[in-house]
Amino acid sequence: MEISIYNLLKGRLETIDIKFTEQNTTWFDDCEHNDDVYMITDFDGGILIREFGYSYPIWIDGETRADIAYDKQKAKGLKCMIC
């Protein structure tokens, strides 16, 4: 599936081809607000963080789901710290 993401390393939007599976993605169903983390995905040596709203997923190089213990609050903190 092709999706548009914001690549922090390059500072721009780009299109990637990715397959979301149980092996590379953790979903969070308890989202209520647009800025809640909806899913985190390991991709190309980094982590893709997608919020519940309509914003673009953000790709952060050098981090993985395991690095943040598959935790949505840690993912949100990582995104806020870098953005």
Side-chain angles (χ1 to χ4, degrees):
M1 157 193 283
E2 282 192 354
I3 63 167
S4 295
I5 65 163
Y6 185 76
N7 184 330
L8 282 175
L9 191 62
K10 296 179 182 176
R12 66 178 186 199
L13 289 174
E14 61 184 27
T15 302
I16 62 168
D17 190 27
I18 187 168
K19 184 174 182 179
F20 299 104
T21 66
E22 290 182 16
Q23 289 75 34
N24 71 353
T25 304
T26 303
W27 288 272
F28 304 102
D29 295 327
D30 58 343
C31 298
E32 295 180 5
H33 305 285
N34 286 341
D35 64 344
D36 287 346
V37 174
Y38 173 65
M39 73 178 193
I40 53 177
T41 304
D42 291 325
F43 175 74
D44 197 24
I47 187 171
L48 190 63
I49 301 173
R50 178 176 225 153
E51 293 180 337
F52 186 57
Y54 291 102
S55 62
Y56 290 103
I58 294 174
W59 182 75
I60 301 170
D61 187 35
E63 297 286 336
T64 66
R65 293 179 303 144
D67 292 339
I68 60 169
Y70 305 88
D71 184 88
K72 92 184 241 179
Q73 294 304 324
K74 289 182 181 179
K76 187 173 186 172
L78 176 65
K79 181 185 163 291
C80 289
M81 183 177 65
I82 293 180
C83 296

